[in-house]
Amino acid sequence: MTIQNQPYALQPIGNTASPFDSLDAFDYDAARREGWTISDCGVYGDGSRRVELQKTDDPIQGAPLFTEDRAAWAHVVQQARRGSSLHYLALQLIDRREKLAVEAHCGTW
């Protein structure tokens, strides 16, 4: 089933053929090695998906690499600007509200 007439970022996960619609396709291990992840946080009150880019609180080894989520945002945006497909995909998977917050802090990518 494909949802019609909705902005891409608001389409429910799994309802299109786009490679950017599934959190299952994301390389969480690669992100965790860098100290960040994307998290499915459920849904907002309006029913839209809530997917956030966050620092990793429980790294595989050692102390967390980022002290706050905004530092992880800056890293991911910087790497996406340099052409990293992992980082670009993460920014495509986060929800519209999270994108607005990331763009307000880091600028566009």
Side-chain angles (χ1 to χ4, degrees):
M1 178 176 117
T2 301
I3 304 295
Q4 300 295 325
N5 300 323
Q6 286 189 356
Y8 173 75
L10 295 179
Q11 291 182 1
I13 297 171
N15 286 353
T16 68
S18 170
F20 297 124
D21 70 352
S22 175
L23 293 174
D24 296 333
F26 186 71
D27 189 349
Y28 290 93
D29 290 336
R32 285 196 57 175
R33 284 192 296 272
E34 292 186 7
W36 60 276
T37 191
I38 53 172
S39 298
D40 183 356
C41 299
V43 296
Y44 289 104
D46 65 3
S48 62
R49 70 181 188 158
R50 182 175 174 196
V51 179
E52 298 179 357
L53 195 160
Q54 304 171 339
K55 70 179 183 69
T56 302
D57 294 324
D58 55 348
I60 296 169
Q61 290 182 326
L65 299 175
F66 301 107
T67 58
E68 62 180 17
D69 289 343
R70 289 180 179 197
W73 295 354
H75 168 77
V76 172
V77 168
Q78 179 183 43
Q79 294 304 309
R81 286 177 183 150
R82 291 181 177 169
S84 167
S85 59
L86 171 71
H87 299 84
Y88 183 79
L89 176 58
L91 293 168
Q92 296 309 307
L93 288 171
I94 60 176
D95 69 64
R96 186 175 64 86
R97 294 175 192 181
E98 184 81 345
K99 281 182 186 174
L100 291 173
V102 172
E103 285 181 355
H105 181 71
C106 304
T108 59
W109 50 88

